[in-house]
Amino acid sequence: MNTIKGIKAILISALSLIGATNTAYAEGKIRIAQQFGIPYLSLDIIRPQKLIEKYGKEQGLDIQVDWQQLSGGPAMNEALLANSLDIVSAGVPPFLTLWDRTHGKQNVKAIASLGNFPNYLLTSNPNIQSLKDFSAKDRIALPAAGTSYQARILQIGASKTFGPDKYQQLDAITQTLSHPDASAALISGGSEINSHFSTAPFHKQVLQANPQVRQLLTSYDILGGPTTLSVLYTTEKFRESNPKTYQAFYQALNEAVNFIQQQPEQAAAIFIQEQKSKLSPETVLEIIKDGDNQFTLQPQNTYQFAELLQRLGVIKNRPESWQDYFFAEATTLGGS
């Protein structure tokens, strides 16, 4: 009898040790994915300067950081749900879709904004002067047709142009392509893609390389002013299970934003190095200093997407305010 009790005690002790080991192991690792372009510059600053590792060491933690690069919100969402990533970045609409999908389950919420950045609808078709001029022969490239940030903006624009019930008027002529691939298609002019809802710095590359391409409008024109383009988000479990790692990431993010604001020249050089960009330092610096591009953690003008998606039936849970889908750290910054 005493032997059995002894075995049970050993097993309980071993299981406790395994649990403690797993917790410690999880706390020191973080897997992050970003997309392409200057809107993700904050992450480009964090990576080479090892800011997450820096703040981890201040807490006595040796953090291992795994960086990945994906294109499109759906890919980010699936990777987060599959637990192959811990923190992902995407436009507000794809994020809200996952917030709704995991409501009451994994409870995915946003950590912070990556800033306010306009998207640029470019076209090489000289006959197009507004959204109403697109025809079935045109093709508009987007990171994720029907679901990406750019796709939702196009739907908002369509509803304003053709009527509230015709928000999908242009969906049939959209095509999924990453920003680099769509830019290459417009520059070469040899594909069916003749338009692209682009982002910085890709719009600059295209406009400089192909004089037949011009800017039709920006997302700010459709949305009525500066709006958060992308957010960083994770699951409630990761945040609660890895408080030191999470805090180190948030501190690194805050330092990166300050670095961009205070040292834009160095930020431009880092972007070119990290993204292997062919743009000149002067062009990248011009984009960073452009008043329309605002590097900030504060969410802005995001709630209109939640209202739109709920009205369209894309999300079932209607948030009362933007604070419902952000973690507490972001809500102290103010926002909308």
Side-chain angles (χ1 to χ4, degrees):
M1 194 71 171
N2 290 335
T3 302
I4 293 175
K5 287 183 178 179
I7 292 173
K8 285 183 177 179
I10 292 171
L11 286 174
I12 291 172
S13 176
L15 289 172
S16 299
L17 181 60
I18 290 171
T21 302
N22 284 342
T23 300
Y25 178 77
E27 177 69 282
K29 285 191 174 184
I30 186 170
R31 300 163 298 173
I32 308 165
Q34 72 178 88
Q35 297 195 53
F36 301 90
I38 282 183
Y40 300 90
L41 176 58
S42 298
L43 301 179
D44 287 323
I45 299 297
I46 291 173
R47 186 168 51 249
Q49 299 193 71
K50 298 186 179 299
L51 298 183
I52 298 173
E53 293 89 334
K54 165 189 167 183
Y55 285 106
K57 288 178 181 178
E58 289 185 2
Q59 301 182 76
L61 195 64
D62 186 14
I63 300 177
Q64 298 177 38
V65 185
D66 177 28
W67 291 94
Q68 298 182 38
Q69 198 160 30
L70 301 174
S71 178
M76 292 284 185
N77 288 350
E78 292 308 315
L80 188 62
L81 286 181
N83 196 32
S84 59
L85 289 171
D86 300 312
I87 293 178
V88 298
S89 54
V92 175
F95 152 68
L96 285 170
T97 301
L98 193 62
W99 168 81
D100 177 71
R101 183 178 172 185
T102 62
H103 193 69
K105 302 171 187 175
Q106 297 97 325
N107 290 324
V108 169
K109 287 188 177 183
I111 301 167
S113 165
L114 279 168
N116 307 320
F117 306 94
N119 276 234
Y120 309 85
L121 184 53
L122 309 179
T123 184
S124 60
N125 186 341
N127 298 319
I128 297 176
Q129 300 302 319
S130 69
L131 291 182
K132 65 182 179 181
D133 296 324
F134 281 98
S135 72
K137 296 181 180 180
D138 297 302
R139 290 293 180 273
I140 306 172
L142 306 166
T147 60
S148 66
Y149 178 87
Q150 294 81 3
R152 296 305 183 191
I153 293 174
L154 199 59
Q155 289 174 346
I156 293 174
S159 69
K160 291 181 178 180
T161 302
F162 305 107
D165 60 334
K166 295 185 177 181
Y167 65 93
Q168 292 179 312
Q169 182 80 10
L170 300 173
D171 284 10
I173 63 171
T174 61
Q175 185 169 324
T176 299
L177 274 182
S178 69
H179 286 307
D181 290 341
S183 298
L186 273 189
I187 290 173
S188 68
S191 75
E192 63 177 355
I193 301 297
N194 63 3
S195 302
H196 174 208
F197 221 144
S198 184
T199 187
F202 301 104
H203 75 298
K204 286 279 189 183
Q205 290 177 305
V206 174
L207 292 173
Q208 290 175 358
N210 189 344
Q212 294 183 340
V213 178
R214 58 195 167 80
Q215 179 178 304
L216 182 65
L217 52 78
T218 75
S219 56
Y220 286 5
D221 295 328
I222 294 175
L223 300 174
T227 306
T228 293
L229 169 61
S230 295
V231 293
L232 291 154
Y233 50 104
T234 188
T235 62
E236 184 177 66
K237 181 179 180 180
F238 177 79
R239 177 176 177 269
E240 292 182 350
S241 300
N242 306 277
K244 291 183 178 180
T245 303
Y246 183 93
Q247 180 65 19
F249 174 77
Y250 194 82
Q251 289 176 296
L253 187 62
N254 189 64
E255 180 173 332
V257 169
N258 290 333
F259 182 91
I260 296 168
Q261 294 172 347
Q262 297 169 11
Q263 303 182 60
E265 291 84 2
Q266 285 185 259
I270 291 174
F271 173 82
I272 291 173
Q273 176 183 337
E274 290 297 301
Q275 294 299 320
K276 298 179 175 57
S277 175
K278 296 180 180 179
L279 288 174
S280 68
E282 293 76 19
T283 298
V284 177
L285 182 60
E286 179 186 347
I287 295 171
I288 293 174
K289 287 187 172 183
D290 187 331
D292 284 339
N293 297 324
Q294 301 163 0
F295 295 90
T296 175
L297 301 185
Q298 183 187 69
Q300 189 165 343
N301 210 12
T302 66
Y303 192 64
Q304 65 173 316
F305 287 107
E307 291 180 313
L308 170 74
L309 296 180
Q310 203 275 335
R311 188 168 67 248
L312 298 180
V314 176
I315 63 175
K316 298 178 181 179
N317 298 285
R318 181 183 177 88
E320 294 300 320
S321 76
W322 68 273
Q323 295 177 330
D324 289 349
Y325 46 82
F326 274 87
F327 284 118
E329 294 80 17
T331 62
T332 62
L333 301 173
S336 58

